Amino acid sequence: MSHDEAKGASTPKDKHPTPLLDELETGPWPSFVTGLKRLRDSGDKQYAPMMNDLLGQLEHSYENRLGYWKGGTVSVFGYGGGVIPRFSEVADKFPASKEFHTLRVQPPAGFHYTTDLLRQMCDIWEKHGSGLIAFHGQSGDIMFQGCSTENVQKAFDDLNEIGFDLGGAGPALRTSMSCVGHARCEMSCYDEVRAHRTVINEFLDEMHRPALPYKFKFKFSGCGNDCVNAIHRADFAVIGTWRDDMKVDQEEVKKYVARVGRKYAIDHVIAMCPTRALSLNDDDTLDVDNRSCVRCMHCLNVMTKALSPGDDRGASILIGGKRALKVGDLMGTMIVPFMKLDTEEDFEKLKEFGRSLLEFFADNALEHERIGETMDRIGLPAFIEALGIDPDPNMVNHPRTSCFVRTDDFTAEAEKYFERKLHKDARAAAE
Amino acid sequence: MSHDEAKGASTPKDKHPTPLLDELETGPWPSFVTGLKRLRDSGDKQYAPMMNDLLGQLEHSYENRLGYWKGGTVSVFGYGGGVIPRFSEVADKFPASKEFHTLRVQPPAGFHYTTDLLRQMCDIWEKHGSGLIAFHGQSGDIMFQGCSTENVQKAFDDLNEIGFDLGGAGPALRTSMSCVGHARCEMSCYDEVRAHRTVINEFLDEMHRPALPYKFKFKFSGCGNDCVNAIHRADFAVIGTWRDDMKVDQEEVKKYVARVGRKYAIDHVIAMCPTRALSLNDDDTLDVDNRSCVRCMHCLNVMTKALSPGDDRGASILIGGKRALKVGDLMGTMIVPFMKLDTEEDFEKLKEFGRSLLEFFADNALEHERIGETMDRIGLPAFIEALGIDPDPNMVNHPRTSCFVRTDDFTAEAEKYFERKLHKDARAAAE
Amino acid sequence: MNVAVQPRRPVETGVPDPFLYMHPVLKKNYGNWAWHDRLRPGVLHHVSKTGEEVWTVRAGTQRQMDVYTIRLLCDIGDRFAEGHVRFTTRSNIEFMLSSVDKVEPLIAALENNGFPVGGTGNSVSMISHTQGWLHCDIPGTDASGVVKSLMDMMHHEFTHEEMPNRVRITTSCCQINCGGQGDISINVQYTKPPKINHDLVSKVCERPAVVARCPVAAIRPAMVNGVPSLEVDEKKCVCCGACYPPCPPMQINGADSTKIAVWVGGKHSNARSKPTFHKLVVANLPNNAPRWPEVEAVVKKILYAYKEHGRDYERLGEWIERIGWPRFFELCDFAFTKHHLDTWTGARKTMNMSAHVRF
Amino acid sequence: MNVAVQPRRPVETGVPDPFLYMHPVLKKNYGNWAWHDRLRPGVLHHVSKTGEEVWTVRAGTQRQMDVYTIRLLCDIGDRFAEGHVRFTTRSNIEFMLSSVDKVEPLIAALENNGFPVGGTGNSVSMISHTQGWLHCDIPGTDASGVVKSLMDMMHHEFTHEEMPNRVRITTSCCQINCGGQGDISINVQYTKPPKINHDLVSKVCERPAVVARCPVAAIRPAMVNGVPSLEVDEKKCVCCGACYPPCPPMQINGADSTKIAVWVGGKHSNARSKPTFHKLVVANLPNNAPRWPEVEAVVKKILYAYKEHGRDYERLGEWIERIGWPRFFELCDFAFTKHHLDTWTGARKTMNMSAHVRF
Ligand code: SRM
Ligand code: SRM
Ligand code: SRM
Ligand code: SRM
Ligand code: SF4
Ligand code: SF4
Ligand code: SF4
Ligand code: SF4
Ligand code: SF4
Ligand code: SF4
Ligand code: SF4
Ligand code: SF4
């Protein structure tokens, strides 16, 4: 829709003038304002008046540089969450949009759609809502934005009929995201769709009936590139990785070096490896010290044909990511360096680990405390002990530098370690 | 002295048996026990009985694995510090060593001696002390160890006569150290002897008459190799550096590469540069991105012939290093990225900066608080403001990541910065 | 509670099965891809281990889409792209093609309809944005407007791959920061303590909960002209805004308080360096709706300094780590102030405890 | 106060002028050196910009020297080395020579008299040691004995340059750690809270000062069987020993409490990586005088793992950073326990907040 078209259709008598918003119709990027106006201008549609007042209120916000929504409580039958209620503080001026609630709806894992499905959603939202939909919110929900209290249930019922369910809001399990991964990415180290659905669908009760101390988010990325920002933005991040050696096609390496030149290859691949695990041989083949490689993905990203993850694949699990509120930003901390994700049992294990985390969170977190805050409050040793996880050097950048600690049980703790090691080696030998 | 000799001479009747210490006479490394015994066995010397009982007490410590010294107060006329008093808790068993004080004596800057000077010191210590001397203590003092209360003054007078003075102890300015630097090192970026003597000799009053909240240490290293461990172990660390481009002799670079081979040179120099400021050209010459170089010294250390510091030399000053007590280890923080150290005025400036630090410390530190702790307690912004130092990005690894700060005066602060910049550029243009 | 009346019980289907909607070639080669490259900006080419290929065309959207826009995209998808699409983490839309011939016609159709094609590889992708005035109950600014303004400015960088590496920008319309970390982050930064409407506090706020929310314990219960209310110690307050959501009468927003700060060097990927938080560059920019020109100017400076000086594969923060913060501030002509020195928990670890120095 | 009686006023000479004692070639070329290399372990060769050369021979000493040893070194210095010497930061002695011919005879003389020649370049140098039972008032162990035992074990590594880079070891005889940071650090680590002799506390301790000394506020004033004393909350106490020096009746030492911990990866130089603190490897080793075999065994493991696997120029800690801590613990067959997870201020920043992982 060229913006002239839109302009053409806009601001007759009965419509709120929007001089400030109009300025957001210029320029090459698709304009949300133009979109809102088209909804406003669909005279035949139930939402046209609502969108006229919505534009009026938004223009009002742009004038005064203040927001005019307040929260409240709205939900659908059987659920305690999934709807973000919005009531206007300036309903007197803009009555038609006095209620402008959002339904958070969980997307198919990996955000795959058919045009047919999208059309069905549009039809439902034209019928009950404002006609305004976001693909997607930052937590991954399809956000059906702008619904009267009365229509929330209807809209949900229709969406639910075509197989869609509400997402999370409030102190609850939140909607999750998984990267495109297996569906279209050679870096993918586990089946993201399966992990995402296995875990979340197991704990839907925690999502639909908020009863946790605070929000809890899972996110699934198939490799260290972390295309869904899991480490920063999830309480429970599942990041694909591999245990064995990466695969190297030396012929492709040579082709790469031939194409870009030695100096370029050295400066951009060899010298950029964070652990100096790479060395370019004089014959332009690549030396990889796999024990030192930290699976950062850089060299694989650059030489997509020559290098790829090993065969013994699975995931690392990091706990405790969140944004700034209260304690400052926290990133997820490496808690499970490797979990195989292959068989039915493997995914069971992942699910059970998720359960133990949710239970620990429910039992130990203070009100409005994220699990990352709990971890900081009680300390990593107490945290993993409570979860029955053994200490692992991968959990830290380096061991303690502070001598302020009581170590009289050090020897006993060391014994435990050696016993575990013995068993592990025994198992390894058995395999 | 082969250890048999020593053994031969040892443990007749009147001497304390030292079966445990004797075990420290075996092995190739020079044995302090053998040395102690030789003192004990110098029947003609005043200190022989003292050293017999000293060995007795030390053996007693080895048996019970406990120390038996306690402190007290001993000093020389006119001074409040510089002597570490030691009174034996087991004087009943070992009366001759009931007093075993140490005189801390400041060494020549850079630890240079003539054999003649050393002999004079030996003679003095044979006359008044135990005959046991340490070159040097961890803070750089010559430690004349083992002196009766009565002889402390005599020993000091004789040492003072030959031009030596006591060092620091207690809540005072401490003895300082400087690396060999200018005297025998091509990396040296300023005159360490001059800096060391200019600063310390200015503040001797703070050393000899302890009146500070706690200890305060200066240390001087001529470059980032920090051969006197200044950053970790000094409240005030002066580290040589340069502002202009490093010097590169490309012919020597080629020779080096020819000698060690390309792969080796790349893996050990290029890839080890912390900021990827180096790149090896295909003709085996070196590209240096001097703006990115952080003066870490690595490449200069490896290619001593090919590379050397630039001409515009001086020092960085880091404040707040200390060991673990109370708050945990602290390293010095970069406070003055560059101070020219060339002319009389430059060294004046260094001295004056030292003074402002000592005054700030005296006025603001709590009792038994090191300046690094004060810095942490009040925060870096308040610390530099109090010292009248302008914020500089070199002070931090990176700017703040936390949004929890009140920034309503940001614009005013920014103005100040731009004014400073204007003046700086003006000065630069003028030069 | 305001529950609609129908008795229909929800079917708790949870996360929908994507295989019902996934492009057949993706489905067929699920978990079996071999390598990829890029034909041109906005076009990915993936090859599976069986040799099968798929081309993906990525286009930008406004995220907050009206049904007309969505249907228009569906029409294009049906006419040129086999009826399957996906959306990315950054609200871009992707069309999958089983043959390369359709790539150009598809791109033409998208561009003719005003959808920029790009966002791949070393380009500037869509800004991940948040709600703001359009829908949130605590916003300091609008998100859609900021994003639209900036994407207009960066249109060329979205449709071309001319950056050293991908640039992922985020924006947040209040200090809660739903937008997360970014190579460049444009976030509301409050500059004043909350202004309290004491008459309302006891009515609408759970006072102990509000007191507990403050990160620096600056809030204490107090009687103010006869009514129980809350007081803020302005010396302690770090203007974080955490007290406002649970207690709207503690108004944190206002012309003198709601400013915008720009941060750089946030990174999520583990490629080369570990993930990082973004760092403060400029604060106190005016909340200048509808087009935030001052913000645009700052972002532009950063973007083009990086474009000119960064090396291939260096993310924005990695580039700065290499050339150093002194040089970065110099190149962008930004001021380095006391506010850039961290003062929060763990600040000591952000200081330069070494002789590494740059000139 | 116990002041000796003579009225002689001190001449406050301060730091002596080293040019009175400095070797003439060093003095002549002060600030004018061009480059250096090493002839062999223990021998440095410096060339000045005027082409003048000086050879330096470095030998180990016991630091705690008797006058006979010092005079012996002086004799050697006079006979073979022009009468000038210096001591290094690590208590090694250095003889400067203006001609290379005297190098071998000097080395022979030193070795014949039991002084190991080495400590240069990529060797293990002398351990920087502290006082301990010999002189300190708060020691948990002896320093001279530990150093002697370890240097015996490492004699070959002092006299040869076979390590990836220099190895600088430190030892400290109580948790105050006068020895500082090291590639390897051997430090007393207390494992129990202090045992309090309540009868003495009020007599010898300034109680408020002692309370103030505790890093975790575990000490509180209390009346114990009638007398004012101090109490320790053993749940809080981190066994740091800070209360012992100001209050000897709070005995921190004892067979069950005075143990030895070994740390690795401390670094002072700014070469390549920034300076670092050392990290805990093994704790709770017995304080086994006179030769500390258990400590020796641990140090040996670390040293030879580094020697075998480290790359040229990597310091011990840098080597571990490259191969990773999991591999290091594996190579040395040490146990990784909960005590290796930091719990002190800023601990969060020591955690692995990334997907960087090693197998
Ligand atoms: C489609 C998408 C996943 C999805 O499920 O939607 C995706 C897809 C791919 N990502 Fe990504 N990434 C996607 C979001 C991300 C994000 C998250 C974000 O942008 O919010 C990140 C983390 C960014 C950060 O660090 O802050 C991300 C960091 C990467 C990286 C790491 C780059 C680096 O050097 O740091 C790679 C590796 C590469 O580019 O070679 C990568 C590589 C890829 C590859 C090449 C993987 C593959 O082999 O197919 C895909 C094409 C990339 C391209 O655009 O050229 N992807 N990728 C997301 C597209 C977002 C968009 O529309 O712009
Ligand atoms: C809609 C959305 C922004 C968007 O436009 O995309 C959003 C909107 C809100 N977020 Fe958020 N957050 C959204 C993703 C995030 C993310 C990103 C993510 O999930 O990856 C974060 C950072 C990661 C994290 O979880 O920390 C995020 C961190 C917050 C926080 C701070 C949490 C913290 O512990 O620091 C709050 C405040 C709170 O929860 O009290 C918050 C609170 C809110 C509230 C509910 C404001 C409030 O307290 O009333 C906003 C409702 C806006 C509205 O009217 O719809 N939102 N919020 C995102 C959810 C859409 C979806 O469901 O898909
Ligand atoms: C003599 C002495 C200075 C003094 O005033 O006494 C000294 C002298 C030299 N040091 Fe040093 N360093 C001396 C203590 C130190 C210390 C402090 C310490 O050991 O306690 C350090 C810091 C160690 C640390 O990081 O913990 C130190 C870190 C270096 C480095 C950095 C090495 C690295 O890669 O990290 C170099 C560079 C090099 O070796 O090329 C260096 C280089 C040098 C050079 C090559 C400088 C030169 O060009 O002459 C000198 C000969 C080194 C050699 O032994 O081969 N010196 N050097 C000290 C000898 C101590 C000893 O007897 O072993
Ligand atoms: C002698 C010496 C060890 C040695 O054998 O070399 C030493 C010995 C003592 N140190 Fe030290 N320190 C010695 C260098 C150091 C260093 C290293 C340095 O200066 O580079 C440090 C670490 C750096 C620092 O300053 O933090 C050091 C950190 C301490 C501390 C902890 C200070 C802190 O803030 O963490 C104390 C405890 C105190 O001051 O209360 C301390 C206290 C002591 C006392 C006075 C114990 C006491 O409180 O009674 C020791 C006296 C032993 C004795 O009987 O002689 N000593 N002390 C060193 C001084 C010799 C000299 O003057 O040359
Ligand atoms: S996270 Fe890894 S696996 Fe997932 S899409 Fe990105 S690159 Fe592919
Ligand atoms: S994946 Fe990363 S760490 Fe591993 S070799 Fe490649 S660049 Fe190095
Ligand atoms: S610190 Fe630098 S200048 Fe001083 S001796 Fe060491 S290498 Fe030379
Ligand atoms: S001195 Fe250090 S930072 Fe500078 S170029 Fe050499 S190696 Fe790189
Ligand atoms: S960032 Fe703040 S204003 Fe914006 S959506 Fe999130 S909570 Fe609302
Ligand atoms: S704005 Fe933040 S710091 Fe200030 S009172 Fe409110 S919660 Fe506390
Ligand atoms: S480390 Fe402790 S015991 Fe050893 S000298 Fe220093 S203070 Fe004394
Ligand atoms: S040992 Fe340390 S932690 Fe324990 S009581 Fe004494 S000072 Fe406090």
Side-chain angles (χ1 to χ4, degrees), chain D residues 97-112:
Chain D
L97 300 169
S98 51
S99 108
V100 69
D101 329 335
K102 305 210 202 94
V103 169
E104 286 310 326
L106 171 59
I107 291 174
L110 286 163
E111 287 175 344
N112 294 338

Side-chain angles (χ1 to χ4, degrees), chain A residues 262-263 266-267 270-272 276 278-282 287 323-329 401-404, chain B residues 262-263 266-267 270-272 276 278-282 287 323-329 401-404:
Chain A
R262 287 200 111 238
K263 182 178 156 88
I266 289 160
D267 291 346
I270 307 303
M272 278 181 149
R276 290 178 292 119
L278 297 175
S279 177
L280 191 63
N281 299 317
D282 293 329
D287 258 351
R323 205 52 175 83
L325 197 71
K326 294 208 308 301
V327 296
D329 296 276
T401 57
S402 166
C403 57
F404 295 173
Chain B
R262 286 202 113 239
K263 181 179 156 90
I266 290 160
D267 291 346
I270 308 302
M272 279 180 148
R276 291 177 292 117
L278 296 175
S279 177
L280 190 64
N281 299 317
D282 292 330
D287 257 351
R323 204 51 175 86
L325 197 70
K326 294 208 309 298
V327 296
D329 296 276
T401 58
S402 167
C403 57
F404 295 173

Side-chain angles (χ1 to χ4, degrees), chain C residues 49-112:
Chain C
K49 292 182 181 144
T50 67
E52 215 169 344
E53 305 174 84
V54 72
W55 288 265
T56 301
V57 175
R58 183 180 298 171
T61 76
Q62 61 271 62
R63 187 181 94 145
Q64 309 288 39
M65 287 184 283
D66 57 292
V67 288
Y68 297 95
T69 301
I70 297 168
R71 288 185 181 128
L72 177 60
L73 288 165
C74 290
D75 295 341
I76 295 170
D78 291 337
R79 279 178 35 233
F80 304 93
E82 307 163 21
H84 294 268
V85 301
R86 67 178 299 276
F87 290 93
T88 71
T89 327
R90 294 197 158 254
S91 306
N92 289 316
I93 187 165
E94 291 183 333
F95 299 87
M96 275 61 65
L97 301 169
S98 50
S99 110
V100 69
D101 329 334
K102 304 209 204 93
V103 170
E104 286 311 326
L106 171 58
I107 292 174
L110 286 164
E111 289 175 343
N112 294 338

Side-chain angles (χ1 to χ4, degrees), chain C residues 271-293:
Chain C
R272 300 166 306 280
S273 53
K274 293 183 172 188
T276 51
F277 294 122
H278 50 230
K279 295 100 189 166
L280 179 66
V281 175
V282 181
N284 227 352
L285 294 169
N287 184 19
N288 200 355
R291 278 204 163 267
W292 295 269

Side-chain angles (χ1 to χ4, degrees), chain A residues 110-111 178-181 184-187 225-229 298 301-302, chain C residues 36 38 44 46 58 86-92 94 119-121 125-126 161 165-166 168 181 183 266-269 271-272 313 315:
Chain A
F111 301 126
S178 49
C179 70
V180 64
R184 200 198 59 205
C185 177
E186 70 272 18
M187 315 287 179
N225 286 330
D226 196 3
C227 294
V228 297
N229 306 316
H298 174 67
N301 291 338
V302 176
Chain C
H36 84 280
R38 296 190 307 278
L44 307 169
H46 286 84
R58 183 180 298 171
R86 67 178 299 276
F87 290 93
T88 71
T89 327
R90 294 197 158 254
S91 306
N92 289 316
E94 291 183 333
T120 54
S125 186
M126 167 63 162
E161 295 180 345
N165 195 340
R166 62 177 35 54
R168 298 295 161 94
Q181 301 282 329
D183 289 299
K267 174 172 177 285
H268 297 84
S269 87
R272 300 166 306 280
Y313 300 111
R315 292 287 296 276

